[in-house]
Amino acid sequence: MKKNNSDSSELEQITREKKKVQFYLSMLLGMATSCGVMIPTDPIYTILMELSEQEASLTKKAKDQSEHPE
């Protein structure tokens, strides 16, 4: 049961981090637009994709564990 709890905690942390990155990306893009400058966003999108993959993996793992308890 501890494993499931740590996975849940890790999933919550990844979700929080993903929301933070999305918030700052939106703020950065808004500031860039209002100032008329180009900001390279590829690294930010890469981080978002990595977080999304981790989130999906943990969600799938939690779903599999709930369907097939050991």
Side-chain angles (χ1 to χ4, degrees):
M1 195 63 158
K2 277 187 175 181
K3 181 72 173 158
N4 191 18
N5 194 15
S6 68
D7 287 346
S8 176
S9 170
E10 188 176 353
L11 179 60
E12 290 171 3
Q13 182 180 358
I14 289 172
T15 303
R16 280 193 304 271
E17 291 300 318
K18 185 177 164 186
K19 287 180 182 179
K20 282 183 196 176
V21 171
Q22 289 171 331
F23 170 77
Y24 288 119
L25 175 63
S26 295
M27 194 165 61
L28 186 63
L29 290 175
M31 288 172 47
T33 301
S34 67
C35 296
V37 296
M38 293 290 292
I39 296 176
T41 55
D42 288 344
I44 299 170
Y45 284 116
T46 301
I47 291 170
L48 277 174
M49 291 302 294
E50 289 172 2
L51 288 171
S52 293
E53 288 171 5
Q54 290 176 6
E55 185 180 37
S57 173
L58 284 173
T59 302
K60 183 181 182 311
K61 187 176 177 183
K63 181 182 175 191
D64 290 346
Q65 285 179 352
S66 69
E67 289 177 356
H68 305 290
E70 294 176 5

